[in-house]
Amino acid sequence: CIRDRLGSGQSVTVDNTYNVFDSIGFYFDAESHGRTFDFILSDALNGGSTLYSTSFVVDSTGINIININQAFAGGSNLWALLGYRGFSGKTAHFSYNDTYAGGNSSFGAIGSQSNWASLDHRFIAEFSNTAVPEPTSFLAWSLLGLTSTSLLRRKRNL
């Protein structure tokens, strides 16, 4: 089970407008390059439901991008968990100043991690917007398209 392994994680708060979690990238130490780790996106640190999971090999650039491409409710608090598969060397980097206002970091056996509110992983979370056009703006664009088509046909007939 992935959750029984040593790992660390970072909480991420979903924005109300930009609620599609496109991807997340973590910075890794050179010692972990070439090693396979697991990634779990969950709805709670300990005992939460798995919302997304995958395995990846840390590449030599030090940053690994994990594509998620899922929409979540705005304001949701998600946990991005890294399972180290028994590796105990240098792995995901921590930042010593808590610059991400919506996050906390954790470390330990996945499922019983210690929470560190004063540290964050160095990570990049990319979100996008799934806003659907309002009916009035959709109607306006449709009318504009029909008007343009009508004018082009009329011009050809002249």
Side-chain angles (χ1 to χ4, degrees):
C1 176
I2 291 174
R3 291 181 183 272
D4 296 334
R5 300 181 187 143
L6 189 64
S8 62
Q10 176 67 48
S11 66
V12 179
T13 303
V14 178
D15 185 75
N16 287 324
T17 303
Y18 298 96
N19 66 328
V20 175
F21 201 158
D22 295 321
S23 64
I24 190 166
F26 285 94
Y27 291 86
F28 287 87
D29 193 272
E31 195 172 324
S32 61
H33 295 177
R35 298 191 179 271
T36 302
F37 290 156
D38 297 312
F39 175 79
I40 304 168
L41 190 63
S42 124
D43 62 359
L45 174 61
N46 296 318
S49 300
T50 298
L51 305 172
Y52 176 88
S53 67
T54 191
S55 296
F56 64 97
V57 176
V58 176
D59 68 26
S60 61
T61 64
I63 185 160
N64 281 245
I65 305 297
I66 300 160
N67 293 313
I68 299 166
N69 299 317
Q70 288 187 22
F72 295 98
S76 298
N77 192 29
L78 307 174
W79 283 92
L81 303 168
L82 299 169
Y84 296 156
R85 291 190 174 201
F87 178 62
S88 60
K90 295 179 183 175
T91 54
H93 290 279
F94 281 98
S95 170
Y96 290 96
N97 54 348
D98 193 6
T99 57
Y100 174 59
N104 292 311
S105 62
S106 59
F107 183 79
I110 296 177
S112 61
Q113 293 149 313
S114 299
N115 193 2
W116 294 339
S118 61
L119 295 177
D120 282 326
H121 280 93
R122 289 179 58 206
F123 71 101
I124 302 167
E126 296 283 337
F127 287 85
S128 62
N129 184 332
T130 60
V132 177
E134 295 176 20
T136 53
S137 61
F138 177 76
L139 181 61
W141 281 107
S142 299
L143 289 174
L144 181 63
L146 289 172
T147 303
S148 299
T149 304
S150 172
L151 289 174
L152 286 173
R153 283 186 184 162
R154 194 171 180 200
K155 191 174 185 179
R156 277 191 224 151
N157 290 338
L158 293 176

